[in-house]
Amino acid sequence: MADALHHIVYISRASAPLSDAAAAALCRAAAERNRDAGITGLLLHDGTRFIQALEGAEGAVRAVMERIARDPRHHAIGYVSDGAVGARQFGEWGMAYRHVDDVLAAADFLATVKRSVAEVEEPRLLAAFIGFAVIGRGERRRDPVPR
Ligand SMILES: Cc1cc2nc3c(=O)[nH]c(=O)nc-3n(C[C@H](O)[C@H](O)[C@H](O)COP(=O)(O)O)c2cc1C
């Protein structure tokens, strides 16, 4: 029997700012591997933190999460959710990215995130992603120095 549908959602802190090229490379590699593994989800990066949802067969999700958790490009992983799901919340694999020092792009980032989660029905997942996008904007206003 095929593995049950499973999802993992986590938030982490970037170990160093990602350049555009590095973010694009991460995204490209993740998209390719996730497609091969039948994994859908969303990765957001606001310049300092990541939030990512991975969904697919349980074995595939756990395998990719194990690799991601070992990746030195981020640390301080906190799990938002890890469990069985009845249906996929993301139709495909996506990523949205915003520079920490790009104030004007903050509203665009939120709009992009809202579009990316338009099909998500699970309230907890919606709240996690929208909250992430909003908090990133708030912190940016209070603290312009990237950490
Ligand atoms: C924030 C973040 C998210 C990532 N997301 C994925 C992903 O969704 N799928 C994936 O295959 N790799 C992802 N990676 C890359 C993996 O950590 C890892 O580098 C890659 O899977 C290759 O693993 P390997 O070097 O053990 O073969 C992500 C890395 C980071 C830092």
Side-chain angles (χ1 to χ4, degrees):
M1 202 178 89
D3 266 0
L5 198 56
H6 194 90
H7 84 175
I8 293 180
V9 183
Y10 73 85
I11 293 180
S12 65
R13 184 172 280 275
S15 302
L18 279 183
S19 67
D20 269 356
L26 194 165
C27 186
R28 209 170 33 243
E32 229 166 75
R33 296 186 78 140
N34 291 358
R35 198 181 316 113
D36 289 349
I39 288 175
T40 47
L42 180 65
L43 172 64
L44 302 185
H45 180 46
D46 67 1
T48 53
R49 293 191 187 84
F50 297 99
I51 182 171
Q52 182 169 31
L54 300 158
E55 59 187 14
E58 180 170 3
V61 170
R62 292 209 184 282
V64 71
M65 189 65 229
E66 250 172 54
R67 293 203 311 269
I68 292 170
R70 282 197 304 264
D71 197 312
R73 288 174 286 186
H74 65 166
H75 60 280
I77 292 175
Y79 291 93
V80 175
S81 187
D82 181 342
V85 280
R88 286 185 194 260
Q89 301 289 303
F90 302 90
E92 48 190 43
W93 170 249
M95 175 163 175
Y97 170 76
R98 157 175 107 75
H99 283 289
V100 73
D101 56 357
D102 192 347
V103 187
L104 288 178
D108 287 345
F109 183 63
L110 182 56
T112 304
V113 172
K114 281 184 174 167
R115 270 198 307 278
S116 304
V117 297
E119 306 293 316
V120 172
E121 283 174 4
E122 208 180 292
R124 218 155 60 93
L125 215 54
L126 263 181
F129 277 97
I130 299 289
F132 180 90
V134 171
I135 287 167
R137 297 174 71 195
E139 282 192 349
R140 182 62 195 82
R141 270 188 227 107
R142 281 198 308 275
D143 179 8
V145 182
R147 283 176 293 171

